[in-house]
């Protein structure tokens, strides 16, 4: 299966990149500095055939953020992102009958709807968790991207559901000095230092009917979306999925490279171009899986250690602190308080 890397042209320039550029123009920014390194020109809307790479789209976002120098840029861009005008997948979102279907569409067509971050949906007891993972290696831009994507989903759901949904927001970052924009656009249910960028919601909200939903229209749009060509899954997304599926088998660089049909040296080079390395990706998946087992299944340290193949809980605790900077007990306690509300 072909995989999409950061430098591969794969994102329709007339979709989200054009939206970002139009927003910057509406704020009266000079166009030339915004286009440096983006592959876009200063003319009108790009043609339907024009594509940019993830690296170019990330550069455009960085240029706009720097040019506007405003705390609300990521949130304001997010307000405009979804359902979007990205073909049949956007039409399917627009006709979604409920939150469950909308989240299924978002995850199923993420390469079109949210190309820079990959959303993953998990059930965790009485809650559902949608967490976001970097698809193309942009660590310095992750806070901006997470704010933009979370705002996009929350705003879309509010519009389609006809009411604000009681999302809770977890951020894998320290609490910023000022959280006013987070509170304005996302609400008060915010928690930082969570080791994962996630949106949580009580599972009872997933099947509440949405007033705009249309079963027939959604089915037709989904059928068309399934037939339409879509960008390939990103290398980091495919690697995350592979590591998650094989996490109990102690994945190694050599075995993973073999599964991906490349040499270990080539895989290392590809990951380096994305600003990461194999051990960092493996540690991220292990940390996410451990947090999920704690939260969704109530596992203790011994059970998680056994699941992940550690010899004992002491080694697991030491590794978990290296991955996250926190002990399992402190993180479990913090997340339990947040989920309990």
């Amino acid at each position: 299966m072909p995989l999409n890397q950061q430098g591969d042209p794969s994102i329709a320039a007339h979709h989200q990149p054009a939206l970002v550029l139009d927003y910057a123009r509406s704020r009266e920014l000079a166009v030339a500095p915004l286009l440096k390194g983006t592959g876009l020109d200063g003319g009108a809307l790009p043609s339907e055939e024009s594509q940019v790479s993830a690296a170019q789209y990330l550069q455009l976002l960085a240029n706009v953020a720097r040019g506007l120098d405003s705390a609300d840029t990521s949130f304001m861009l997010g307000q405009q992102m979804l359902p979007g005008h990205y073909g049949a997948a956007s039409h399917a979102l627009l006709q979604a009958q409920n939150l469950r279907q909308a989240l299924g569409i978002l995850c199923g067509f993420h390469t079109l709807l949210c190309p820079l971050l990959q959303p993953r949906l998990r059930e965790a007891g009485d809650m559902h968790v949608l967490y976001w993972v970097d698809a193309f290696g942009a660590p310095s831009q992750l806070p901006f991207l997470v704010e933009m994507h979370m705002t996009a989903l929350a705003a879309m759901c509010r519009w389609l559901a006809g009411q604000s949904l009681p999302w809770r927001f977890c951020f894998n970052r320290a609490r910023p000095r000022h959280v006013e924009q987070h509170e304005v656009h996302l609400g008060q249910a915010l928690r930082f230092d969570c080791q994962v960028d996630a949106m949580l919601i009580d599972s009872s909200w997933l099947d509440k009917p949405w007033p705009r939903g249309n079963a027939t229209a959604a089915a037709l749009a989904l059928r068309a979306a399934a037939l339409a060509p879509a960008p390939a899954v990103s290398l980091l997304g495919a690697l995350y999925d592979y590591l998650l599926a094989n996490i109990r088998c102690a994945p190694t660089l050599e075995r993973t490279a073999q599964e991906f049909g490349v040499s270990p040296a080539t895989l290392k080079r590809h990951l380096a171009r994305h600003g990461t390395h194999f051990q960092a990706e493996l540690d991220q998946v292990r940390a996410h899986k451990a947090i999920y087992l704690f939260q969704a299944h109530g596992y203790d340290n011994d059970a998680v250690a056994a699941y992940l193949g550690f010899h004992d809980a002491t080694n697991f605790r030491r590794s978990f602190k290296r991955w996250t900077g926190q002990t399992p007990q402190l993180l479990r306690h913090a997340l339990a308080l947040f989920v309990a509300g």
Side-chain angles (χ1 to χ4, degrees), residues 311-330:
H311 293 300
D312 54 53
T314 300
N315 284 330
F316 165 69
R317 283 196 299 270
R318 189 180 300 119
S319 294
F320 188 86
K321 189 169 184 179
R322 176 172 57 82
W323 302 335
T324 68
Q326 299 185 46
T327 64
Q329 182 179 2
L330 286 176

Side-chain angles (χ1 to χ4, degrees), residues 2-258:
L3 297 177
N4 190 1
Q5 299 195 49
Q6 197 184 69
D8 297 335
S10 61
I11 300 170
H14 69 293
H15 286 173
Q16 291 187 12
L19 183 153
V20 172
L21 190 56
D22 284 347
Y23 177 74
R25 286 169 172 157
S26 75
R27 299 291 296 272
E28 300 182 350
L29 284 184
V31 172
L34 301 178
L35 299 177
K36 186 176 181 180
T38 68
L40 297 169
D41 59 40
L45 195 68
S47 70
E48 292 191 15
E49 294 76 25
S50 177
Q51 291 189 324
V52 297
S53 67
Q56 291 171 317
Y57 182 21
L58 287 165
Q59 185 64 58
L60 174 62
L61 287 169
N63 293 347
V64 170
R66 183 168 51 250
L68 290 174
D69 191 24
S70 173
D72 72 349
T73 300
S74 59
F75 301 97
M76 295 302 294
L77 286 173
Q79 291 281 352
Q80 307 174 53
M81 286 290 176
L82 295 175
H85 303 282
Y86 319 135
S90 286
H91 290 302
L93 269 183
L94 190 61
Q95 304 295 338
Q97 300 169 80
N98 50 44
L99 179 59
R100 186 186 300 276
Q101 186 175 37
L103 295 179
I105 294 167
L106 183 72
C107 293
F109 297 96
H110 64 89
T111 57
L112 285 170
L113 298 170
C114 46
L116 297 179
L117 295 184
Q118 183 169 351
R120 290 175 168 84
L121 185 64
R122 298 287 184 269
E123 185 176 356
D126 295 331
M127 306 288 291
H128 269 70
V129 179
L130 185 82
Y131 67 104
W132 305 85
V133 179
D134 187 356
F136 285 103
S140 64
Q141 290 177 260
L142 268 182
F144 186 98
L145 295 176
V146 167
E147 292 162 1
M148 184 175 76
H149 285 71
M150 286 187 175
T151 302
L153 180 56
M156 182 195 75
C157 291
R158 181 169 58 248
W159 178 46
L160 295 179
Q163 61 180 312
S164 294
L165 301 188
W167 292 105
R168 303 177 189 181
F169 300 88
C170 294
F171 298 92
N172 184 14
R173 57 182 291 201
R175 182 182 179 87
R177 182 175 301 177
H178 302 289
V179 296
E180 291 85 355
Q181 293 299 328
H182 291 78
E183 293 173 346
V184 167
H185 294 278
L186 301 177
Q188 302 289 322
L190 309 170
R191 185 170 186 88
F192 297 88
D193 293 311
C194 286
Q195 310 308 317
V196 65
D197 294 303
M199 299 169 65
L200 290 70
I201 194 164
D202 190 286
S203 299
S204 64
W205 286 88
L206 265 70
D207 297 305
K208 291 182 183 293
W210 283 0
R212 298 174 180 272
N214 185 305
T216 301
L220 290 173
L222 282 171
R223 189 180 307 166
L227 295 174
V233 175
S234 71
L235 169 65
L236 294 187
L239 177 60
Y240 187 103
D241 289 336
Y242 171 80
L243 294 176
L244 186 61
N246 294 276
I247 201 64
R248 305 190 73 178
C249 304
T252 63
L253 172 66
E254 291 72 22
R255 177 61 185 273
T256 303
Q258 183 180 16

